[in-house]
Amino acid sequence: MHHRLLQRQLRRTLGAEFVPDASWTQFLALISDYYTEVDRDRNLIENALAVNSEELEELYAQLRRRADAEQALLRSFTNSIPDLFFAKSPEGLYLGCNSEFERFVGRPETEIIGYRVHDLLPAAQAADITTIDQAVLASGRPHSREEWQKDPAGQMRCIEMLRAPYYGADGTLIGLLGIGRDVTERRRLEEQNRLAAQVYRHTGEGMLVTDAEFRILDINPAGMRITGYSLEDVRGRTPEMFNSGRQDRAFYDSMRRTIAEIGYWNGEIWDRRQDGEVHAKSVVVNRLDEEDGSVHGHVMFFSDITQKKQADDLIWRQANFDMLTGLPNRRMLRERLEHEIRQADRARCSMALLLIDLDHFKEINDTLGHLIGDDLLVEAARRISACTRETDTVARLGGDEFTTILTRINDARHVEAISQKILDRLAEPFQLGDSVVYVSASLGITLYPQDATEVEDLLKSADQAMYVAKRQGRNRFSHFTQGLQTAAQDRLRTIGELREAVWQKQFHLHFQPIVDTVSGQIRKAEALLRWDHPVRGVVPPAEFIALAEETGLIAQLGDWVFREATRWAARWATVVPGFQVSVNVSPVQFRTEDAAARAVWIEQMCAAGAPAGSMVIEITEGVLLSADMDAAAALRDFRAAGIQIAIDDFGTGYSSLGYLNRFDIDFLKIDKSFVQSIATDAGNGALCEAIVVMAHKLGLRVIAEGVETQEQADRLLRAGSDFAQGYLYSRPIPPEQLEAILRHGAHGR
Ligand code: C2E
Ligand code: CA
Ligand code: CA
């Protein structure tokens, strides 16, 4: 009011050209301030305004000085305020501000005063501010709100802005005051707290807050869910109230000590829920310290890890135990062996490692099915375990192989007694479902530290001993000996030499005649492989076929044998019509040989000029029994090409005539061990007869092997065997020699 009046009076005095600029406006505002405050000067000013312009200039200068002084005082006041401060005219012109406001706006006072908010801020924001300014002026009441504004550095700041109209002493409105406080940090903290509170309420992780003495102050909903307790249940008590008893006093003491020392603890605890169930928790405890270093309290985070623990446990069991029998597996066995070795060293005593391999398990598995096979293994595991002490370890190495660690051995005879007991128990009949099954086992014994001192070597020597037991006829145990060790080394050397031999073709074939039992004429011959060893001389197949099979060399060797045999078959077919040459084919060849390889054989046979029906291949029952070989398909291929099939060594294996019926077989070769006992063993004679009758019924012809005496020959003749082979007639001989006999026989007899 005053300054409009002043303005009018000034304009009258100064003339119409007078247009008040920003500094004038400011001046006027200050004057009006001053005017209202300094009542006693009123007359002076009114008088002054009535004087001429010179006097007015003088007065102006005077007032100006006073005003400057006033303003300086005001500024020093306002600048000491850490908040933003400004004053605006009702029209929105800045009248003054403090340095904090200058800093925030990023302009000096001279570029603020007399300007409008539109000159400082983007239009939209300025419009918003103008609206609120107007509303405050209109309402005449102070107003506070938060405004987000960019500071000169481009950072968004949250300003809590208080606006208030300000009045002259007479109650007239002079303008608007603004006080702004930067509350960005406070907002941020509040936001964080709000989030933290949200997390506390909604997280799946349990949280507990305790005071410095671990008395519980609060528990979040997840914590209640995990423990089963409500806040009322737990308040004022300590987390040890959850103890399941699996941790002792010392555990908690050490936990508290750690927290006291480093302010932090984490680990796993077995706790009891409110409903009594024991569960595993993963726990982290953080100590909350005051600034002065005293303890404010603790926060505990925890989650239920029972399921994870159970899963871990299962994984551990699967990694270390055999799921079928529940016995430790190979991995676990190694660990136990390491452990027992250390124990034995400490106690200065021996221990024994037994390797137990079930005999003919594969046949049972293949004929009776895997389920019965599994049952048998479980029962075998049970029987073996029953023969040992608590402190001994029984493990399953896989398949039908078991091991036993016998600890604290003082007497080797004790080991043998247990071994025999295991063998006896395994030889007892197994009642599996509807079937009664008989198995036996071969067992190898090795002693620590006498035979070997390393885990690996112990296993190896037990294995070698076990193989000796197998070779000696199964259902027995055998000790590891130094001789076995040497044999193992020999074996390695022989493998190397065998490779060389295959490469250099250091082999030749012998042929053993097979005669017609009735006429005594040579109708066939079996090709038998010989190795011309550069140092050892002629090596019989028993000493290298198994190695050739293990190393896969048998494939190349077998191909050579077949090719060589067809060559002779072709020649002899012209000498003795219908003459047959048989070759032994290893089960390994059946496994590796595919249809394409068989086609090559057949092609070679034709190329050699061997007529259809002149070749026979001898296979063992095992080939027919193994489920993993498509034996039927292979046999079909051979028979389609006119190659006949003989079952070799009948009577030593599973010996099921019924099984043979499923395949197209031409000959059955009764094994020599069987043949050789018929003269002495009446029972075998009868059995032999029965086999012949049955074989004939199935359309097979019978060849008796290993006939050495006339008596055996007579018996076989009586039993109805079709053919015979053995030293009685001829040893295996070189092909040239056989050919001479054939020609001589053909021309001679
Ligand atoms: P096998 O197929 O049972 O061959 C018969 C074996 O009995 C031959 O031994 C033969 O010399 C021997 N024998 C023949 N008549 C009598 C006899 O009256 N009394 C006695 N005690 N033994 C007799 P050999 O030649 O040492 O062959 C041994 C085994 O080696 C063969 O047994 C056969 O399984 C295998 N074999 C031989 N040649 C080959 C071959 O080319 N390939 C394959 N995969 N295996 C072969
Ligand atoms: Ca044979
Ligand atoms: Ca045989």
Side-chain angles (χ1 to χ4, degrees):
M1 195 66 216
H2 289 289
H3 87 262
R4 221 169 300 143
L5 179 82
L6 279 168
Q7 211 165 311
R8 229 180 298 127
Q9 285 180 333
L10 277 171
R11 192 163 304 159
R12 214 184 307 127
T13 315
L14 297 174
E17 315 86 79
F18 175 72
V19 179
D21 65 358
S23 62
W24 268 99
T25 313
Q26 182 193 18
F27 166 62
L28 291 171
L30 285 166
I31 286 178
S32 76
D33 268 2
Y34 179 74
Y35 191 68
T36 48
E37 281 164 26
V38 193
D39 222 21
R40 60 185 162 81
D41 286 345
R42 184 189 292 234
N43 288 337
L44 174 75
I45 295 169
E46 273 174 355
N47 288 342
L49 287 174
V51 299
N52 63 35
S53 63
E54 246 166 67
E55 283 165 325
L56 186 65
E57 284 297 330
E58 171 55 28
L59 179 64
Y60 170 71
Q62 253 184 44
L63 285 173
R64 176 87 211 208
R65 278 192 298 278
R66 279 188 70 167
D68 282 351
E70 290 277 344
Q71 204 184 10
L73 182 66
L74 195 64
R75 272 199 69 83
S76 70
F77 276 149
T78 57
N79 283 348
S80 59
I81 302 173
D83 294 335
L84 312 174
F85 176 80
F86 64 83
K88 280 180 189 174
S89 73
E91 290 76 31
L93 292 170
Y94 284 99
L95 299 174
C97 67
N98 68 349
S99 51
E100 191 61 25
F101 188 77
E102 285 176 293
R103 199 191 51 72
F104 185 75
V105 177
R107 292 163 176 247
E109 186 190 45
T110 51
E111 288 174 29
I112 297 173
I113 290 171
Y115 289 82
R116 293 163 184 279
V117 67
H118 277 92
D119 304 318
L120 309 182
L121 294 178
Q125 214 179 343
D128 170 55
I129 286 175
T130 308
T131 310
I132 191 83
D133 283 355
Q134 295 302 326
V136 170
L137 288 170
S139 74
R141 275 197 301 274
H143 171 267
S144 155
R145 68 165 191 176
E146 282 173 5
E147 289 170 12
W148 283 92
Q149 291 187 21
K150 254 193 200 134
D151 67 9
Q155 296 287 314
M156 289 307 288
R157 313 293 304 179
C158 181
I159 308 296
E160 187 182 70
M161 189 62 82
L162 172 75
R163 288 179 169 78
Y166 77 103
Y167 299 94
D170 59 352
T172 48
L173 179 71
I174 298 173
L176 184 83
L177 283 182
I179 299 172
R181 175 161 292 179
D182 187 337
V183 292
T184 318
E185 275 322 304
R186 198 175 73 200
R187 274 284 154 275
R188 207 162 277 161
L189 277 176
E190 278 170 9
E191 183 60 19
Q192 272 173 11
N193 284 343
R194 202 180 56 78
L195 271 176
Q198 290 267 350
V199 169
Y200 186 72
R201 291 207 62 72
H202 298 296
T203 179
E205 196 170 27
M207 293 188 201
L208 262 179
V209 184
T210 77
D211 65 10
E213 270 70 54
F214 289 97
R215 280 186 297 261
I216 298 171
L217 301 171
D218 198 7
I219 182 168
N220 74 341
M224 295 187 223
R225 208 172 50 240
I226 294 171
T227 61
Y229 288 101
S230 68
L231 177 58
E232 289 69 53
D233 296 335
V234 300
R235 192 184 277 136
R237 304 175 65 182
T238 72
E240 283 161 45
M241 68 177 281
F242 306 124
N243 187 9
S244 61
R246 290 213 199 171
Q247 292 87 212
D248 54 9
R249 193 61 256 155
F251 176 88
Y252 287 100
D253 287 346
S254 117
M255 176 174 170
R256 284 191 181 215
R257 230 178 2 258
T258 309
I259 296 168
E261 277 164 18
I262 61 170
Y264 175 85
W265 184 88
N266 81 349
E268 288 173 6
I269 301 184
W270 285 95
D271 273 353
R272 190 185 299 281
R273 286 170 50 87
Q274 196 260 340
D275 61 14
E277 193 187 306
V278 172
H279 64 147
K281 273 183 197 160
S282 160
V283 179
V284 175
V285 184
N286 276 302
R287 192 180 62 204
L288 305 176
D289 294 341
E290 295 286 16
E291 267 171 18
D292 64 3
S294 66
V295 177
H296 177 78
H298 302 90
V299 186
M300 228 170 108
F301 301 91
F302 53 95
S303 48
D304 192 318
I305 53 164
T306 314
Q307 283 192 343
K308 184 182 163 297
K309 273 208 114 53
Q310 282 165 351
D312 287 352
D313 205 49
L314 182 67
I315 289 167
W316 180 81
R317 285 198 65 79
Q318 280 172 345
N320 291 287
F321 286 86
D322 166 45
M323 287 291 129
L324 178 65
T325 60
L327 294 179
N329 63 10
R330 183 181 289 271
R331 187 192 151 103
M332 185 67 154
L333 173 81
R334 266 170 216 277
E335 230 165 76
R336 294 261 174 101
L337 260 180
E338 305 263 12
H339 173 76
E340 294 302 347
I341 284 176
R342 284 193 298 272
Q343 294 285 104
D345 285 346
R346 216 167 295 144
R348 296 184 182 285
C349 60
S350 295
M351 76 180 177
L353 179 70
L354 312 186
L355 189 78
I356 306 152
D357 189 282
L358 302 186
D359 301 326
H360 302 302
F361 173 73
K362 195 162 161 36
E363 274 104 322
I364 292 166
N365 215 22
D366 289 340
T367 48
L368 297 179
H370 293 277
L371 288 180
I372 298 276
D374 283 354
D375 288 350
L376 190 145
L377 289 173
V378 171
E379 173 63 11
R382 212 186 50 71
R383 291 187 188 181
I384 295 168
S385 301
C387 295
T388 60
R389 294 167 302 184
E390 258 324 272
T391 50
D392 297 333
T393 297
V394 178
R396 181 176 171 220
L397 289 185
D400 54 355
E401 268 192 349
F402 296 89
T403 51
T404 302
I405 306 173
L406 304 177
T407 56
R408 293 178 179 271
I409 300 301
N410 303 314
D411 187 345
R413 275 172 306 181
H414 173 64
V415 177
E416 290 190 0
I418 293 178
S419 299
Q420 192 54 55
K421 196 161 111 194
I422 291 173
L423 292 176
D424 290 346
R425 291 286 286 116
L426 290 175
E428 287 168 19
F430 285 78
Q431 175 74 49
L432 304 169
D434 298 335
S435 336
V436 176
V437 179
Y438 291 86
V439 287
S440 57
S442 303
L443 192 155
I445 303 171
T446 188
L447 294 174
Y448 175 89
Q450 293 86 336
D451 298 335
T453 51
E454 303 290 327
V455 168
E456 215 45 56
D457 297 341
L458 279 167
L459 284 166
K460 219 184 287 166
S461 37
D463 199 53
Q464 287 169 10
M466 188 274 290
Y467 269 102
V468 172
K470 275 231 191 288
R471 242 177 285 139
Q472 286 171 349
R474 305 187 155 99
N475 192 21
R476 67 195 64 210
F477 62 76
S478 173
H479 280 279
F480 175 81
T481 59
Q482 205 48 52
L484 272 184
Q485 183 61 33
T486 339
Q489 283 158 2
D490 285 352
R491 188 172 161 275
L492 272 182
R493 201 182 43 247
T494 310
I495 288 175
E497 290 173 348
L498 193 60
R499 259 180 233 288
E500 180 75 14
V502 170
W503 182 247
Q504 307 228 340
K505 299 211 165 53
Q506 300 168 351
F507 296 97
H508 69 266
L509 287 184
H510 271 185
F511 289 85
Q512 185 175 32
I514 300 172
V515 302
D516 183 308
T517 344
V518 180
S519 69
Q521 280 186 327
I522 304 176
R523 308 295 307 159
K524 315 170 192 299
E526 178 177 3
L528 294 162
L529 189 57
R530 301 290 179 262
W531 177 9
D532 305 311
H533 192 279
V535 180
R536 288 155 67 189
V538 176
V539 181
E543 290 177 33
F544 66 88
I545 290 293
L547 284 185
E549 287 177 338
E550 274 172 46
T551 53
L553 287 166
I554 193 71
Q556 274 165 277
L557 210 48
D559 286 347
W560 180 83
V561 169
F562 187 80
R563 202 162 351 111
E564 199 64 9
T566 52
R567 209 160 57 77
W568 291 105
R571 285 174 68 109
W572 296 334
T574 61
V575 182
V576 178
F579 194 84
Q580 287 185 312
V581 170
S582 63
V583 294
N584 293 284
V585 177
S586 143
V588 176
Q589 282 167 277
F590 261 84
R591 216 170 294 145
T592 53
E593 223 75 30
D594 52 14
R598 289 198 290 275
V600 172
W601 275 25
I602 292 160
E603 231 170 73
Q604 280 172 354
M605 187 181 74
C606 299
S614 65
M615 293 295 296
V616 178
I617 62 173
E618 301 192 1
I619 57 174
T620 50
E621 272 177 294
V623 172
L624 305 181
L625 289 168
S626 339
D628 54 327
M629 299 177 208
D630 198 355
L635 295 184
R636 254 197 317 270
D637 282 0
F638 283 131
R639 292 196 91 245
I643 298 175
Q644 297 195 323
I645 313 292
I647 297 298
D648 210 350
D649 306 337
F650 191 80
T652 56
Y654 191 69
S655 305
S656 158
L657 279 166
Y659 208 76
L660 296 182
N661 195 19
R662 299 192 210 161
F663 300 89
D664 284 326
I665 310 289
D666 301 283
F667 300 102
L668 199 66
K669 296 188 81 171
I670 301 179
D671 188 66
K672 54 179 168 286
S673 61
F674 211 71
V675 166
Q676 283 164 3
S677 62
I678 54 171
T680 51
D681 189 329
N684 266 350
L687 203 57
C688 211
E689 213 164 304
I691 291 175
V692 174
V693 171
M694 297 266 284
H696 283 167
K697 280 228 171 78
L698 292 171
L700 309 178
R701 273 166 306 156
V702 177
I703 302 170
E705 286 188 304
V707 183
E708 293 180 347
T709 65
Q710 194 54 51
E711 196 188 355
Q712 289 164 359
D714 293 344
R715 288 267 188 139
L716 287 163
L717 185 62
R718 247 178 288 143
S721 172
D722 303 275
F723 299 94
Q725 171 185 5
Y727 295 167
L728 177 66
Y729 310 99
S730 167
R731 292 199 167 246
I733 49 175
E736 295 77 12
Q737 200 178 328
L738 177 60
E739 189 168 317
I741 294 172
L742 290 180
R743 285 188 193 284
H744 169 74
H747 298 298
R749 273 203 252 178

